[in-house]
Amino acid sequence: MASLPTLLQLLLCFLPFLATAQKVLPIGFSRQRHSAHSAHSAVQRRTTTYSQIINNNLTGGGYYAEVSVGTPPQTVNLILDTGSSDLWVLDSHADLCSSQKLQAYYGNCLATFDPDDSSTYVNLPRADFSIQYVDGSGAQGNYFKDTLHVGTANITSLQMGLAENTTINSGLMGVGFATNEAAKTPYPNIIDLFASQDLIAKQVYSLYLDDLNAETGTILFGGMDTEKFIGELSIIDIQPDSQTGNYTSFTVTLDSLAITASNGTATNFTQVPLPVVLDSGTTLSYLPSSVAENIFDAFGAVDDTLSGGTGLVYVDCDYLSNSQDLTFDFRFDAEDGPLIRVPIDEIVLDNVEDYEQLGLRVPQLPFDHVCSFGIQSSSGVYLLGDTFLRSAYVVYDLTDKNIGLAQANLNSTKTNILEISSAIPSVTGVASQVSASQTATITPGNGDGGLPTVTTTASPSSGAGDTTDSAAPRGVPAPKWEPAFVMAVSGMFAFMGAGLLAL
Ligand SMILES: *[C@@H]1O[C@H](CO)[C@@H](O)[C@H](O)[C@H]1NC(C)=O
Ligand SMILES: *[C@@H]1O[C@H](CO)[C@@H](O)[C@H](O)[C@H]1NC(C)=O
Ligand SMILES: *[C@@H]1O[C@H](CO)[C@@H](O)[C@H](O)[C@H]1NC(C)=O
Ligand SMILES: *[C@@H]1O[C@H](CO)[C@@H](O)[C@H](O)[C@H]1NC(C)=O
Ligand SMILES: *[C@@H]1O[C@H](CO)[C@@H](O)[C@H](O)[C@H]1NC(C)=O
Ligand SMILES: *[C@@H]1O[C@H](CO)[C@@H](O)[C@H](O)[C@H]1NC(C)=O
Ligand SMILES: *[C@@H]1O[C@H](CO)[C@@H](O)[C@H](O)[C@H]1NC(C)=O
């Protein structure tokens, strides 16, 4: 059973300051059809695909990739994050990892990296590493270069952050655009090197989180797996930052969100198309308050995320047993764009009792069996996190700035991998969701039910915005960040579980 510190740890929503995602300016661009191979020399090695398992750590609130760094390889566990772009590891001498007091609050350090034990380690003495998250958590140290072993690929001389001071108990693998790096001087990140070292043909990968109760998902670098999705894979555009025109995040256009009942009745909850960021490092999903509040009303859900609250939106668990066929239908791009149906049991999460055992005090509510809601209200940046992403198969094409999107085929045990070397092919996956009998060989989840799904995700803060209340809960030793390092937190903190942090 997890301890209170673990709860607090998993509630640290390291949400990115995504200044870029505010508004969508539809800027057209032509899809590049040429193969990435054409730019390479004749002596290149043959590209292929690399599959890396990601562990659905319900208590850790995220998907962790077990990879290794250095020579000989040292194993580390990194949160997989499409919402940020730096890969960093915990130094074995990091302040958190050598302080019982800090670990009692932030959680025990997961595997660390010791540079002294790696013969291929190269320190980058003048490259300060500093990444800050919306809730005030973050990591600081130095950049270095070393070999990263991910899947069966060895990426050499990858620049990574080495955290000396951290309030997060694991490292993080940011797989976003290099333009979103925390570093002052941009550098080729993991996805850039995957392609430039000719391991994969272009900057592309696919993400399959699988069922909420599945133990693992997969990130597939360089390709896609047609057994893991249903029907046609649709290709939509990533939207650039409206201010600079740069591509910095996986922002796509959500054309509409409707909730459909089993009798076919649909209720449309969106008024206008919305820019939303596909963010695997965020556990819940965040929609504009105008949309979220109408949804809460429709479900009689109680929003307790306001200041002083517990940070959760509560809903009657009866929706799990009585309305199983309700689906949240996310339509992207245009009226005839791809549709992802998220079943109610991926949105109504039966995890509140677990929280209560960890110390949560649920407010007075008009229902007995209390669940939490996988959608919350946001005043700025709209994020589709794991509560959405589990229902989707998503191909991220950073070279051509496209997203391939299809309904996920949950609990699939088969594979049919296609390498992607030019534009994402609009191929067809399986015909329908695999049946329960086919899933019998799957190891069930950890039995905790739909758990601690609260936010993660990291991204560099730009330093803009106001410095909100300290992220540190009352009565807990706050880490002593250097003043310059205490970056501003955006207004997001207010809706990202501040109350829970004050447990
Ligand atoms: C899951 O995350 C928790 C909290 O960070 C950690 O203590 C635990 O070791 C992780 N479990 C696995 C299997 O990685
Ligand atoms: C950063 O961590 C180091 C140990 O790794 C510690 O000596 C130092 O005091 C920490 N700095 C701050 C500002 O907490
Ligand atoms: C990758 O690194 C591992 C560990 O050092 C090594 O055993 C393996 O041979 C390397 N693979 C390639 C293709 O270089
Ligand atoms: C963003 O775009 C501007 C202008 O187009 C350019 O000068 C700048 O270097 C870009 N920033 C990044 C991080 O690529
Ligand atoms: C369909 O179901 C919804 C929700 O259960 C209900 O409100 C609606 O009246 C039903 N519509 C029809 C036509 O039966
Ligand atoms: C929902 O309403 C918006 C605005 O009226 C519209 O653009 C969208 O197509 C509607 N979606 C559905 C599924 O009806
Ligand atoms: C997938 O497997 C999990 C764990 O066995 C199960 O709880 C879930 O209902 C399955 N999902 C589907 C869609 O079959």
Side-chain angles (χ1 to χ4, degrees):
M1 177 51 65
S3 61
L4 179 63
T6 309
L7 170 67
L8 290 169
Q9 191 276 328
L10 67 90
L11 297 174
L12 292 173
C13 32
F14 15 121
L15 240 166
F17 180 83
L18 287 164
T20 57
Q22 306 288 349
K23 287 267 179 318
V24 171
L25 182 72
I27 293 179
F29 69 93
S30 54
R31 267 173 211 149
Q32 279 154 35
R33 297 276 160 195
H34 70 262
S35 160
H37 286 292
S38 55
H40 296 163
S41 73
V43 295
Q44 68 175 351
R45 82 182 94 185
R46 230 191 131 141
T47 59
T48 180
T49 62
Y50 295 89
S51 181
Q52 168 71 47
I53 299 278
I54 48 176
N55 296 306
N56 180 7
N57 185 331
L58 293 166
T59 47
Y63 286 83
Y64 290 75
E66 189 179 296
V67 298
S68 58
V69 176
T71 312
Q74 299 176 37
T75 301
V76 289
N77 271 290
L78 308 178
I79 294 170
L80 179 72
D81 186 17
T82 61
S84 70
S85 306
D86 293 87
L87 186 154
W88 60 269
V89 297
L90 293 170
D91 183 12
S92 52
H93 303 293
D95 59 349
L96 174 62
C97 305
S98 47
S99 161
Q100 290 306 319
K101 202 170 157 190
L102 289 177
Q103 288 183 69
Y105 169 48
Y106 294 110
N108 292 332
C109 278
L110 301 182
T112 60
F113 174 70
D114 188 346
D116 294 340
D117 291 344
S118 174
S119 63
T120 42
Y121 168 86
V122 176
N123 184 27
L124 301 174
R126 275 182 301 280
D128 289 344
F129 163 66
S130 173
I131 196 160
Q132 193 67 27
Y133 305 98
V134 173
D135 63 348
S137 71
Q140 183 193 37
N142 220 67
Y143 280 106
F144 69 103
K145 284 188 180 180
D146 208 333
T147 305
L148 174 77
H149 307 270
V150 47
T152 55
N154 298 343
I155 297 173
T156 53
S157 294
L158 173 64
Q159 181 165 336
M160 296 174 261
L162 186 63
E164 305 296 344
N165 299 89
T166 172
T167 52
I168 301 166
N169 71 337
S170 75
L172 207 136
M173 186 196 287
V175 288
F177 289 106
T179 48
N180 198 31
E181 283 162 1
K184 285 189 196 81
T185 313
Y187 63 89
N189 75 0
I190 175 174
I191 303 302
D192 294 318
L193 290 194
F194 240 124
S196 66
Q197 294 183 6
D198 288 329
L199 297 160
I200 60 177
K202 66 185 293 200
Q203 295 176 24
V204 67
Y205 58 85
S206 306
L207 198 52
Y208 175 66
L209 297 185
D210 207 352
D211 192 271
L212 176 62
N213 293 311
E215 282 189 337
T216 62
T218 309
I219 181 167
L220 179 65
F221 297 97
M224 67 161 115
D225 184 345
T226 64
E227 283 288 336
K228 299 288 191 282
F229 60 92
I230 300 165
E232 196 193 319
L233 185 83
S234 302
I235 319 298
I236 62 174
D237 293 345
I238 297 173
Q239 300 296 332
D241 181 311
S242 61
Q243 309 288 310
T244 64
N246 297 342
Y247 290 88
T248 52
S249 65
F250 297 120
T251 300
V252 294
T253 303
L254 178 66
D255 183 66
S256 67
L257 168 58
I259 296 176
T260 309
S262 48
N263 62 15
T265 309
T267 314
N268 189 358
F269 281 89
T270 45
Q271 288 83 47
V272 289
L274 299 166
V276 290
V277 182
L278 303 176
D279 189 354
S280 72
T282 292
T283 339
L284 304 182
S285 295
Y286 295 84
L287 295 173
S289 43
S290 58
V291 175
E293 280 160 17
N294 286 338
I295 296 175
F296 298 162
D297 285 350
F299 285 85
V302 177
D303 185 351
D304 195 41
T305 60
L306 298 178
S307 158
T310 51
L312 292 177
V313 176
Y314 298 99
V315 62
D316 193 336
C317 290
D318 280 357
Y319 281 104
L320 286 176
S321 42
N322 295 342
S323 318
Q324 269 168 351
D325 294 333
L326 275 183
T327 58
F328 289 65
D329 298 350
F330 293 78
R331 172 90 61 189
F332 292 87
D333 226 31
E335 250 174 271
D336 58 350
L339 179 70
I340 304 296
R341 299 203 136 126
V342 181
I344 184 123
D345 59 3
E346 292 278 351
I347 300 271
V348 173
L349 306 167
D350 194 0
N351 54 12
V352 173
E353 276 177 23
D354 297 282
Y355 284 139
E356 283 183 295
Q357 288 185 24
L358 299 174
L360 173 74
R361 260 172 255 140
V362 175
Q364 203 71 47
L365 294 167
F367 33 84
D368 294 332
H369 190 181
V370 182
C371 277
S372 73
F373 212 64
I375 291 176
Q376 291 201 358
S377 159
S378 159
S379 50
V381 174
Y382 314 132
L383 303 169
L384 298 185
D386 297 338
T387 53
F388 165 80
L389 290 171
R390 276 187 276 266
S391 298
Y393 189 80
V394 185
V395 184
Y396 298 83
D397 182 345
L398 291 76
T399 301
D400 287 340
K401 279 81 181 175
N402 286 335
I403 293 287
L405 204 54
Q407 187 77 33
N409 178 23
L410 299 178
N411 294 337
S412 162
T413 52
K414 295 186 191 158
T415 55
N416 178 38
I417 291 174
L418 291 187
E419 187 181 358
I420 303 173
S421 51
S422 52
I424 307 172
S426 183
V427 296
T428 305
V430 301
S432 60
Q433 172 63 48
V434 292
S435 71
S437 59
Q438 281 173 274
T439 71
T441 55
I442 294 268
T443 320
N446 69 6
D448 285 348
L451 250 166
T453 323
V454 181
T455 36
T456 51
T457 270
S459 187
S461 163
S462 74
D466 48 8
T467 322
T468 329
D469 307 348
S470 160
R474 287 185 283 268
V476 174
K480 294 177 191 65
W481 302 110
E482 284 164 29
F485 178 43
V486 180
M487 301 284 270
V489 257
S490 79
M492 297 195 61
F493 178 64
F495 65 83
M496 294 301 301
L500 272 171
L501 285 168
L503 262 182

